[in-house]
Amino acid sequence: MASMEPEHEAALEPVGRADAVRLTEDLRVAIGEARQAAVVLAGRVRDAHRARVWVPLGYSGWGQYAQAELGISRAQAYRLIDIAESAGALSRAIGAAGVLAAVSPAGDTTGLVDIGLSQRALRDVHGWLDELTTVVTERLTTATRRAGQLEVPAVRAIVAQAVDEFRQGPLPAADNTAAEDGDDALERALADAERHPTDMRLVRRLVDEMAAAGGKLGQTALELAPAYLSDQEAADTVLARYADDIGCDVETILATRRYALTGDRRALEGTWL
């Protein structure tokens, strides 16, 4: 009867020191290339969002475009934008200190540099960019005055230390999205709330954006079915068909119409909110 004991591979023999050093350096290079590729990808996603590429391609919004064309969720797409914005801001801070050439990778065309930070770190500091970049520029400028031109490891160490300090602080207040259009503001608020579900400021911001979007939908419903019509008349006349056209239920459309009429968010409870 054959033995049921698992077969064990022969123990691996360690390589010599020279080979170990070479293999380790190869790993460092590969990790750096992968990290930089991720930052370049994030930059291209950011550029696509800024160009509103979903409009000429016929998509209803950024989230639908990201899912259909890139195979990623709306939240993932916004996380990549956060990474690009953080990397871009830190790259500019390094440049402002006069050390950009020391860390800019050859052939880079995105304006981003490999500063040795993980994607998670770049996402975490997105809400502090103004304060963080001021600190980074000041520290790099001071270090350059004292020691002359900084080597790449020194630049990365200074940036990493500043980033770590900010990551240990409290979650920043939600970004001001007043300048964003309604769809983008709502999508961004949803993505932020998904990333930090326990932060009540972000949750309240999401509720505010959803209410604002519901108000806009309600205004459209009012234009189609004026206020003198009862809910039943409005539904029978046009809103049932309108709800079906946009993939929504008629009760939600009627709730947003009532909200547009009264300005009372309680009209949305149980439907839109």
Side-chain angles (χ1 to χ4, degrees):
M1 180 175 175
S3 174
M4 300 299 292
E5 293 183 3
E7 296 182 3
H8 295 282
E9 295 183 1
L12 296 176
E13 292 295 328
V15 298
R17 177 175 176 79
D19 286 336
V21 169
R22 176 182 56 79
L23 290 170
T24 301
E25 182 57 28
D26 288 346
L27 283 173
R28 287 180 180 143
V29 170
I31 290 171
E33 290 174 346
R35 186 172 56 231
Q36 182 61 18
V39 172
V40 170
L41 169 63
R44 290 176 179 169
V45 171
R46 174 204 59 191
D47 292 344
H49 182 263
R50 288 178 176 176
R52 298 177 62 84
V53 294
W54 63 90
V55 175
L57 294 178
Y59 292 103
S60 62
W62 171 245
Q64 187 184 60
Y65 165 83
Q67 183 68 51
E69 297 291 344
L70 308 180
I72 59 177
S73 70
R74 172 180 53 196
Q76 288 173 308
Y78 273 124
R79 283 195 288 270
L80 287 170
I81 293 173
D82 287 351
I83 290 169
E85 289 176 349
S86 295
L90 288 169
S91 297
R92 291 189 293 275
I94 293 170
V99 294
L100 182 60
V103 290
S104 182
D108 176 51
T109 60
T110 65
L112 306 178
V113 298
D114 180 10
I115 46 185
L117 297 173
S118 69
Q119 294 182 54
R120 178 61 182 269
L122 290 169
R123 292 201 311 269
D124 287 349
V125 297
H126 183 260
W128 285 287
L129 292 183
D130 288 343
E131 300 90 341
L132 174 60
T133 52
T134 298
V135 169
V136 167
T137 298
E138 289 175 351
R139 291 184 183 179
L140 288 173
T141 300
T142 300
T144 301
R145 287 173 183 162
R146 291 175 178 172
Q149 182 64 50
L150 300 176
E151 298 294 329
V152 173
V155 174
R156 288 179 174 169
I158 290 171
V159 174
Q161 181 178 355
V163 167
D164 285 343
E165 291 171 6
F166 275 81
R167 291 179 75 192
Q168 292 169 9
L171 187 70
D175 294 336
N176 180 9
T177 58
E180 296 182 83
D181 66 46
D183 289 342
D184 283 353
L186 178 57
E187 289 179 353
R188 191 61 170 266
L190 178 59
D192 288 344
E194 287 176 348
R195 288 163 49 201
H196 304 289
T198 61
D199 190 290
M200 294 310 299
R201 289 170 298 179
L202 298 182
V203 173
R204 284 193 293 269
R205 175 186 160 204
L206 175 59
V207 172
D208 289 342
E209 293 295 348
M210 289 184 67
K216 292 179 181 178
L217 184 58
Q219 288 293 339
T220 300
L222 269 177
E223 292 174 5
L224 294 172
Y228 64 81
L229 294 176
S230 68
D231 279 1
Q232 189 62 56
E233 290 171 331
D236 291 343
T237 306
V238 65
L239 292 188
R241 185 170 65 254
Y242 174 62
D244 186 61
D245 287 343
I246 66 172
C248 188
D249 63 88
V250 69
E251 287 303 321
T252 295
I253 298 298
L254 290 171
T256 63
R257 179 173 176 265
R258 289 192 291 269
Y259 174 51
L261 276 168
T262 64
D264 189 339
R265 285 191 184 181
R266 289 174 294 182
L268 300 174
E269 291 179 0
T271 53
W272 189 257
L273 293 181

